[in-house]
Amino acid sequence: MNATRPGLVHAAGQDLNSMTVAQRDALMKANVDGLKPLQVVGLRPPRPLVAWEFNLADPHDQKALDYLANRGVDLDMLGALLMASGLIGAGHGRPLSWITYAGAYYVAYLLKIVTGGAPLPHDVAGFVGGMQVYLGQQVYDVATMAAGCPGMPVGLDRIAASLRIHLPWGSPRLAGAVCVRALLAFRIWKHGEFGGNVERFRGLLQGLQ
């Protein structure tokens, strides 16, 4: 899962590395609570893999909201549709793995969607707890994993090039293409660099921990 833009409206130029975990969490909460997810565009590669991206916008941009409403996008139904999909929550019946890249904000926006726009939890423990309730235990961030690979470059485009991952079906515009590259990087590392054992990266999100 990924988002097309990072969605920062507060302290966009601030150095996150100079902040404490609690400060990063507070900044993430302010940004995510101040923006509204607009649309989910999906891609389903060969089962059981699923990837999607979603767009973000200022909730006060009524023009954009009206445009999407006129196109038949029901913003209030996004969370309900995901909950009913069987992918979210304890009732999905089978353990799932969630793969993201630099994922603290993207997980936060997904929580925002599935909770119907409820404010994010007030602290890191609450956020992680919410992540586990809706997504389960198997959440992995490719950006965090890249830091555990000696010599691996920074940035998903460079990581994909280093691993010889090509854009899916040759199209950079394909919905979910960024997500697919993150997913393929995870699979390559899991069965190569880390010998099938990636548990030490479980639940560690770039931009938060």
Side-chain angles (χ1 to χ4, degrees):
M1 56 184 168
N2 212 330
T4 55
R5 288 179 288 172
L8 296 180
V9 291
H10 299 287
Q14 193 164 344
D15 180 14
L16 296 180
N17 293 325
S18 66
M19 303 170 66
T20 66
V21 170
Q23 289 171 331
R24 287 196 293 269
D25 177 66
L27 180 59
M28 178 179 68
K29 176 177 168 57
N31 278 294
V32 173
D33 283 340
L35 290 167
K36 185 180 184 74
L38 287 183
Q39 178 183 17
V40 174
V41 290
L43 164 72
R44 182 181 291 274
R47 293 190 179 190
L49 308 179
V50 177
W52 71 73
E53 298 177 5
F54 50 86
N55 301 318
L56 313 169
D58 189 321
H60 303 294
D61 188 352
Q62 192 59 46
K63 196 178 211 181
L65 298 177
D66 290 343
Y67 170 79
L68 288 171
N70 290 335
R71 301 284 291 182
V73 177
D74 189 340
L75 303 180
D76 295 327
M77 286 297 294
L78 289 178
L81 289 172
L82 283 171
M83 291 296 290
S85 71
L87 295 173
I88 303 288
H92 54 58
R94 61 191 176 93
L96 299 174
S97 292
W98 294 83
I99 315 304
T100 185
Y101 180 82
Y105 275 86
Y106 305 142
V107 170
Y109 283 118
L110 182 56
L111 293 182
K112 194 82 172 174
I113 291 172
V114 299
T115 59
L120 291 176
H122 294 294
D123 55 25
V124 177
F127 176 76
V128 172
M131 177 178 72
Q132 292 173 347
V133 166
Y134 289 101
L135 304 183
Q137 299 289 331
Q138 305 296 323
V139 180
Y140 298 96
D141 190 329
V142 168
T144 300
M145 295 176 69
C149 298
M152 189 59 59
V154 175
L156 186 56
D157 287 343
R158 293 187 181 92
I159 290 171
S162 176
L163 297 176
R164 298 184 180 180
I165 296 172
H166 301 291
L167 289 171
W169 293 280
S171 173
R173 300 176 186 85
L174 183 67
V178 172
C179 307
V180 171
R181 282 186 287 174
L183 178 59
L184 292 177
F186 171 81
R187 295 178 70 188
I188 289 170
W189 285 333
K190 178 179 179 179
H191 299 293
E193 182 76 23
F194 303 114
N197 183 11
V198 292
E199 292 303 296
R200 65 188 171 103
F201 298 107
R202 189 175 65 183
L204 299 180
L205 299 178
Q206 184 79 10
L208 184 59
Q209 283 100 342

